[in-house]
Amino acid sequence: MGKEDRLTTSSQFAAVFREGKPWANGLMVLRVVPNSLNLSRTGIITSKKVGNAVTRNRTKRLLREAVRLTPVEPGWDIVIVARRKMVGKNFQDVQPAFVQLLERSGLLRRV
């Protein structure tokens, strides 16, 4: 993900949490809010409840790869919050869970 594709400031994250609509499953929570841009920006949150630094970084890498490989409708700010159940999961578990949330939220772009 390039810098223009990411949420980078705490105010951007706060806006998504304040105004965004949530969708959740066992592995993650997705919060989305429309933006006025021609692209969708994504932010990933893994708290210390998920595990130590190694575990949190692996979780973020898995989520970044899922975002990179999944087409998302443009014009949205998305925050993904990892849950504890994500620990020990592999990409084959994470990708379908992410796609499921995008489908439920209506943000999955059909190619």
Side-chain angles (χ1 to χ4, degrees), residues 37-103:
L37 305 172
N38 292 332
L39 63 133
S40 287
R41 301 181 298 181
T42 305
I44 298 172
I45 297 175
T46 56
S47 73
K48 286 190 176 182
K49 292 179 184 178
V50 172
N52 63 17
V54 174
T55 305
R56 292 193 310 268
N57 286 330
R58 173 159 172 70
T59 301
K60 285 189 275 189
R61 284 195 304 272
L62 288 171
L63 287 170
R64 273 196 304 266
E65 187 66 7
V67 169
R68 187 181 74 81
L69 294 177
T70 307
V72 178
E73 287 291 334
W76 295 89
D77 284 345
I78 302 167
V79 171
I80 305 165
V81 181
R83 288 185 163 173
R84 277 188 205 154
K85 288 187 178 182
M86 194 172 227
V87 174
K89 300 294 184 191
N90 58 24
F91 185 72
Q92 286 73 27
D93 299 326
V94 173
Q95 172 81 16
F98 180 63
V99 169
Q100 175 201 29
L101 289 179
L102 286 178
E103 285 176 341

